[in-house]
């Protein structure tokens, strides 16, 4: 038995603890959609982005930009003349579905984050990224990447954090120079122990969805193949996108996008959570939000361009969202506080449902009731849009509504909004 293969197999089992998982089968076996969820953490301001609001006579000022400029339009979409919105909407409006007037039913970050990224306003449900990874690619090396934010898997799969890309090479090939350290007898003992551990885990009752496949198809000869391909594809540090700073704000969003695209290209992942914090602008709202939104749209632009360069853009679905929105007035510190009404943006190339906005809010950013079938305002018989409606519709569109994970975590008594019709 080859000692290098044995120890790599052992290390693969050890590394497959929650938060990290090494390959179980060949990389690049999946050719379906790829999923990116961009979390604007802290509560972004849709009224200065994708649900623009001018000031209403007799009411407090909702946006300072509205004192000197007007709401702009790209195709069928309106946007605020703020930050880098014009360049973003003019370039991508044909790829965008904007869902406005989504009520998070809370002003608390902890609840808003869970609600908007799981579809449920209490802990326990997985993210859509976890559902997609568990259903579409349960045996890929690191199917679900997370760069921060809410990434609950509810036991359906594991997420992988990659904070130090340079360490991937050490994990993928940990045995350089170690062949002579351990005796043949010890190698064989470790191999026997590994085989027994895998057999014991595979025989456990009530395995989680996909675990039978994980253990049943485990093969140490493939244990590091995919990860090494991915590690080799990552450029050296001086060629990676660098973190940018402004005052107390830091963003590695472009690097997150770069690592995600390379993971998609090498076939080791199918979904990723990208994360940018700082949107909780209780003071100094305009300059801080302007930098944050510009950084967000710049990184998403880079994500699409880099994906195009590496041949995976036609497979990507990108979802942008946040905890909730900001108040429809400024506080005494020129900031905006928490407001339950928010928005999502879904992006994909060449789709008939794109290039439009659904959901409505009034001039002060209160949500209107909408008809689920027509997705038009319906004060008499409609319903407010909640995150569960968006998640249920996305589950259907992304092909996971009947998956084992979705059946374990259903949305009962939830209207079917035809966002993608």
């Amino acid at each position: 038995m080859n000692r290098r293969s044995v120890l790599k197999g052992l290390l693969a089992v050890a590394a497959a603890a929650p938060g990290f998982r090494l390959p179980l089968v060949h990389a690049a076996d999946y050719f379906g959609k790829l999923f990116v969820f961009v979390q604007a953490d802290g509560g972004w301001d849709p009224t200065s982005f994708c649900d623009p609001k001018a000031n209403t006579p007799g009411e407090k000022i909702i946006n300072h930009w509205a004192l000197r400029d007007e709401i702009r339009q790209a195709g069928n979409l309106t946007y605020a003349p703020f930050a880098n919105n014009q360049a973003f909407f003019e370039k991508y409006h044909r790829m965008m579905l904007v869902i406005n007037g989504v009520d998070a039913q809370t002003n608390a970050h902890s609840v808003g984050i869970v609600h908007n990224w799981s579809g449920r306003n209490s802990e326990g449900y997985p993210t859509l990224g976890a559902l997609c990874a568990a259903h579409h690619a349960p045996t890929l090396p690191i199917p679900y990447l997370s760069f921060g934010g809410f990434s609950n898997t509810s036991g359906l799969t594991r997420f992988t954090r990659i904070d130090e890309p340079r360490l991937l090479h050490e994990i993928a090939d940990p045995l350089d120079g170690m062949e002579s350290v351990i005796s043949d007898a010890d190698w064989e003992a470790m191999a026997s122990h590994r085989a027994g551990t895998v057999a014991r885990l595979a025989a456990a009752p009530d395995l989680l969805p996909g675990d039978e496949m994980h253990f049943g198809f485990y093969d140490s000869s493939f244990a590091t193949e995919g990860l090494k391909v991915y590690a080799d594809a990552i450029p050296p540090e001086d060629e990676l996108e660098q973190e940018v700073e402004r005052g107390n704000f830091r963003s590695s969003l472009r690097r997150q996008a770069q690592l995600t695209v390379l993971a998609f290209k090498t076939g080791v992942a199918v979904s990723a959570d990208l994360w940018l914090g700082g949107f909780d602008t209780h003071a100094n709202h305009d300059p801080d939000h302007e930098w944050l939104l510009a950084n967000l749209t710049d990184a998403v632009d880079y994500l699409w361009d880099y994906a195009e360069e590496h041949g995976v853009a036609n497979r990507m679905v990108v979802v942008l969202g946040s905890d909730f929105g900001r108040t429809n007035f400024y506080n005494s510190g020129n900031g905006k506080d928490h407001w339950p009404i928010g928005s999502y943006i879904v992006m994909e190339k060449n789709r008939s449902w794109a290039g439009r906005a659904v959901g409505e809010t009034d001039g002060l950013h209160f949500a209107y009731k909408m008809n689920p079938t027509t997705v038009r305002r319906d004060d008499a018989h409609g319903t407010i849009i909640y995150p569960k409606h968006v998640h249920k519709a996305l589950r259907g569109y992304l092909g996971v509504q009947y998956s084992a994970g979705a059946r374990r975590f259903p949305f009962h008594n939830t209207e079917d909004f035809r966002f993608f019709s």
Side-chain angles (χ1 to χ4, degrees):
M1 182 176 290
N2 183 279
R3 292 187 295 178
R4 175 177 288 269
S5 296
V6 172
L7 187 53
K8 280 186 177 182
L10 289 167
L11 291 173
V13 171
F20 199 89
R21 180 162 156 248
L22 289 175
L24 302 173
V25 296
H26 283 294
D29 283 348
Y30 175 75
F31 301 99
K33 289 183 185 292
L34 304 165
F35 317 97
V36 181
F37 303 90
V38 184
Q39 301 184 23
D41 191 80
W44 65 5
D45 186 358
T47 72
S48 289
F49 188 36
C50 59
D51 191 8
K53 300 299 175 188
N55 298 317
T56 300
E59 300 288 347
K60 293 181 179 180
I61 292 175
I62 188 170
N63 282 307
H64 288 138
W65 58 259
L67 296 172
R68 59 185 181 276
D69 211 333
E70 297 179 344
I71 293 171
R72 305 282 182 86
Q73 187 162 339
N76 296 319
L77 301 183
T78 57
Y79 64 89
F82 185 78
N84 197 32
N85 293 344
Q86 180 175 353
F88 184 69
F89 279 83
E90 288 185 351
K91 182 174 181 178
Y92 291 107
H93 66 89
R94 294 179 183 85
M95 294 169 51
M96 297 167 63
L97 172 68
V98 178
I99 306 175
N100 290 321
V102 182
D103 188 354
Q105 299 177 286
T106 185
N107 286 335
H109 290 296
S110 57
V111 179
I113 290 168
V114 171
H115 201 180
N116 275 281
W117 295 113
S118 74
R120 188 168 180 259
N121 62 5
S122 59
E123 294 279 358
Y125 268 39
T127 64
L128 193 52
L131 279 175
C132 290
H135 179 65
H136 289 300
T139 60
L140 284 187
I142 45 177
Y144 180 27
L145 299 179
S146 172
F147 295 92
F150 182 76
S151 302
N152 189 41
T153 67
S154 300
L156 298 177
T157 186
R158 298 178 178 90
F159 70 81
T160 300
R161 289 291 299 270
I162 301 179
D163 296 322
E164 294 289 343
R166 61 184 178 81
L167 297 179
L168 284 174
H169 289 282
E170 298 178 17
I171 297 171
D173 192 13
L175 300 181
D176 283 340
M178 292 183 61
E179 288 85 346
S180 61
V181 175
I182 302 174
S183 69
D184 289 342
D186 287 338
W187 286 106
E188 292 172 6
M190 286 189 287
S192 176
H193 179 74
R194 177 190 66 81
T197 299
V198 171
R200 175 176 55 80
L201 292 172
D206 302 321
L207 292 178
L208 293 172
D211 278 351
E212 298 93 337
M213 187 181 300
H214 292 173
F215 297 125
F217 286 93
Y218 179 82
D219 185 336
S220 63
S221 66
F222 300 144
T224 57
E225 175 189 338
L227 189 63
K228 189 174 189 308
V229 171
Y230 179 38
D232 290 343
I234 296 175
E237 180 65 27
D238 60 353
E239 295 179 21
L240 280 171
E241 292 295 315
Q242 299 301 307
E243 183 177 82
V244 294
E245 299 183 20
R246 175 190 174 276
N248 294 325
F249 298 115
R250 294 183 178 182
S251 173
S252 63
L253 204 52
R254 285 174 65 106
R255 176 177 288 206
Q256 296 172 32
Q258 185 178 26
L259 293 173
T260 294
V261 168
L262 293 175
F264 289 168
K265 179 183 180 179
T266 54
V268 298
V270 301
S271 68
D273 290 335
L274 278 55
W275 181 90
L276 176 63
F279 284 89
D280 196 21
T281 49
H282 289 282
N284 205 37
H285 172 272
D286 286 3
D288 289 349
H289 233 78
E290 185 172 27
W291 186 86
L292 290 162
L293 280 175
N295 186 273
L296 177 74
T297 55
D298 171 74
V300 174
D301 178 41
Y302 172 81
L303 170 70
W304 281 108
D305 284 349
Y306 199 65
E308 195 74 51
E309 178 184 340
H310 288 279
V312 297
N314 288 335
R315 298 168 58 195
M316 284 200 325
V317 180
V318 179
V319 180
L320 286 66
S322 191
D323 316 9
F324 35 62
R326 311 304 300 180
T327 49
N328 53 11
F329 58 89
Y330 293 85
N331 60 29
S332 60
N334 272 323
K336 292 187 179 183
D337 301 317
H338 301 171
W339 187 254
I341 308 304
S343 300
Y344 290 92
I345 296 177
V346 184
M347 303 178 71
E348 190 175 4
K349 296 183 66 176
N350 304 316
R351 290 294 177 260
S352 60
W353 46 258
R356 63 194 182 101
V358 296
E360 286 187 52
T361 57
D362 67 13
L364 294 179
H365 203 219
F366 288 90
Y368 285 121
K369 292 181 179 180
M370 308 300 294
N371 183 293
T373 301
T374 64
V375 202
R376 295 181 182 277
R377 181 178 168 184
D378 186 346
D379 295 337
H381 304 292
T383 179
I384 297 295
I385 300 173
Y386 300 111
K388 65 180 179 179
H389 294 122
V390 179
H391 278 258
K392 187 176 183 182
L394 279 168
R395 284 184 179 189
Y397 178 68
L398 300 179
V400 297
Q401 74 272 40
Y402 302 120
S403 67
R407 289 196 302 270
R408 282 183 62 194
F409 303 100
F411 293 120
H412 292 307
N413 303 315
T414 300
E415 297 85 354
D416 293 305
F417 269 82
R418 300 180 63 180
F419 297 127
F420 301 100
S421 297

